Amino acid sequence: MVLQVEDCVDCLKVLFPEYDFLFLFDHSCGHDKGQTDGLNAKNMNVDYGRKQPKMHPTKIEAKEGYLGPHRHSSVLKVGEEQQMVWPVYSDEEFDPNKHGPYWMTPGMREARRHTNRGWEGEAKGLLQVLWERGWVDPARPKSDYKKHGSKDDTNAVIPETNLQEIMLNCLDFEEEKTLLQKMVENMCDRPGQFILDRTPKCHCEMAGEGIEYAWGCAKNYYRALPN
């Protein structure tokens, strides 16, 4: 699909360079495939490292939709960039009082740096990313926070401990571009020359508008031709 869209964009650039184009796709698995380093809360672990993707940095665009209710010295400010992967520090740069997972003591940060469970160069994980956004309460035990949340006495999930759900509802994760959308954006010679959008989910009557109808008409026409 990526190659097909790329060929289409190349042709339109040559034939109609003065026009802007909107590509409309439905929500199939191929159309919705994410970027290799795209923001995807479902692929993140609670803690750092292990088997999880290293995602690209993101920007805190506003307080609403990005930042939580808790305030401490590590909470990012609007306009700042958030790194989703731990940097690798030189010995001169490293400060155990500032660098490393928030729940580790300075001694633990120093001790684990160069072990096989070291955190430098690893994906941060849900807990650290949400800590930096103010969604993790400093007064609450780390063990309360789980990927799908802790449960209360009635076996109901406690929303403020559900790390994946909180991350999914952050605007940058909600609005992350798919692989196709990012590729089309990168092929533009000017802003907005090519836009790729998707029809709403669960509305098949809208998904057929455009390519599906055109494809059906083309097949009917071809089949009506003499052999």
Side-chain angles (χ1 to χ4, degrees):
M1 180 56 67
V2 170
L3 294 177
Q4 290 175 318
V5 174
E6 187 176 18
D7 288 344
C8 184
V9 168
D10 286 338
C11 292
L12 292 174
K13 279 184 175 182
V14 174
L15 295 173
F16 308 105
E18 70 276 18
Y19 290 105
D20 295 337
F21 294 90
L22 170 66
F23 297 102
L24 194 61
F25 285 78
D26 61 14
H27 281 267
S28 74
C29 295
H31 302 162
D32 279 350
K33 183 176 180 179
Q35 304 171 60
T36 305
D37 63 346
L39 303 178
N40 188 334
K42 293 184 178 179
N43 289 340
M44 297 173 71
N45 298 334
V46 172
D47 212 342
Y48 67 87
R50 299 193 186 278
K51 191 176 180 181
Q52 62 179 317
K54 295 182 179 180
M55 301 183 297
H56 64 73
T58 183
K59 187 177 179 182
I60 306 299
E61 299 284 358
K63 181 178 178 181
E64 188 71 27
Y66 290 83
L67 301 178
H70 304 293
R71 293 291 171 264
H72 50 77
S73 60
S74 300
V75 174
L76 294 160
K77 296 179 177 61
V78 174
E80 290 186 328
E81 185 176 75
Q82 183 176 34
Q83 300 296 322
M84 309 302 281
V85 178
W86 285 111
V88 177
Y89 301 98
S90 67
D91 290 338
E92 292 75 23
E93 294 172 323
F94 178 65
D95 182 349
N97 294 306
K98 295 194 303 182
H99 302 145
Y102 83 90
W103 51 269
M104 287 186 181
T105 64
M108 290 173 65
R109 292 169 183 165
E110 180 65 69
R112 288 202 189 181
R113 281 186 70 202
H114 304 301
T115 67
N116 60 358
R117 276 296 285 134
W119 44 270
E120 288 183 317
E122 298 288 347
K124 288 181 176 178
L126 289 164
L127 191 62
Q128 181 67 33
V129 170
L130 290 172
W131 166 263
E132 295 172 5
R133 296 186 182 212
W135 289 104
V136 176
D137 186 351
R140 192 163 203 151
K142 172 178 179 280
S143 57
D144 282 2
Y145 291 95
K146 295 180 170 59
K147 187 165 187 174
H148 300 294
S150 297
K151 295 184 177 181
D152 61 19
D153 294 339
T154 65
N155 208 34
V157 173
I158 304 170
E160 60 267 27
T161 66
N162 190 337
L163 297 176
Q164 182 175 276
E165 191 65 23
I166 296 171
M167 194 86 268
L168 284 169
N169 286 314
C170 288
L171 285 180
D172 48 346
F173 278 75
E174 278 190 346
E175 298 173 354
E176 176 70 350
K177 290 181 172 62
T178 65
L179 179 63
L180 273 175
Q181 286 175 314
K182 192 65 178 178
M183 184 208 75
V184 168
E185 182 182 272
N186 291 339
M187 293 186 71
C188 292
D189 292 333
R190 60 179 182 275
Q193 183 181 14
F194 298 101
I195 298 173
L196 191 149
D197 203 355
R198 291 166 294 172
T199 55
K201 290 183 178 180
C202 305
H203 283 275
C204 56
E205 77 281 3
M206 296 181 68
E209 296 294 335
I211 185 62
E212 296 296 342
Y213 289 157
W215 179 236
C217 289
K219 287 194 290 185
N220 286 336
Y221 174 76
Y222 175 79
R223 288 168 181 165
L225 294 174
N227 291 333

